[in-house]
């Protein structure tokens, strides 16, 4: 997703400790996330979720699926 776009998380396609970590950070189905900023090379990307800014690598963020909301 491009910077400034918001989405509602639909599902996480990850298991084990990585799933637990993402859930603990607030990446839960139904949560709204916003793409704040991408690094110059595109990895990592900063997301806002639950009033917190979190940077995820492409490897992690590619397993989070959502639907774009609000434009």
């Amino acid at each position: 997703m491009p910077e400034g776009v918001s989405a509602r998380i639909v599902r996480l396609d990850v298991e084990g400790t990585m799933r637990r970590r993402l859930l603990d950070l607030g990446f839960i189905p139904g949560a709204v996330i916003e793409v704040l900023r991408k690094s110059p090379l595109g990895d990592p990307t900063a997301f806002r979720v639950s009033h917190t800014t979190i940077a995820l690598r492409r490897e992690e963020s590619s397993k989070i699926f959502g639907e774009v909301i609000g434009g």
Side-chain angles (χ1 to χ4, degrees):
M1 296 186 325
E3 291 180 19
V5 173
S6 295
R8 185 172 317 279
I9 298 174
V10 176
R11 73 177 196 277
L12 302 172
D13 281 350
V14 63
E15 298 297 326
T17 57
M18 178 59 69
R19 181 178 181 82
R20 182 79 256 158
R21 177 176 171 253
L22 289 173
L23 292 171
D24 288 345
L25 291 171
F27 290 88
I28 59 173
V32 174
I33 61 172
E34 178 186 358
V35 178
L36 296 178
R37 176 169 285 185
K38 294 184 178 190
S39 71
L41 296 177
D43 196 27
T45 299
F47 296 91
R48 174 169 293 142
V49 61
S50 302
H51 305 289
T52 304
T53 301
I54 299 167
L56 296 177
R57 292 174 293 206
R58 186 174 295 138
E59 171 187 339
E60 299 160 328
S61 62
S62 67
K63 298 176 182 182
I64 301 170
F65 295 89
E67 53 189 24
V68 174
I69 58 173

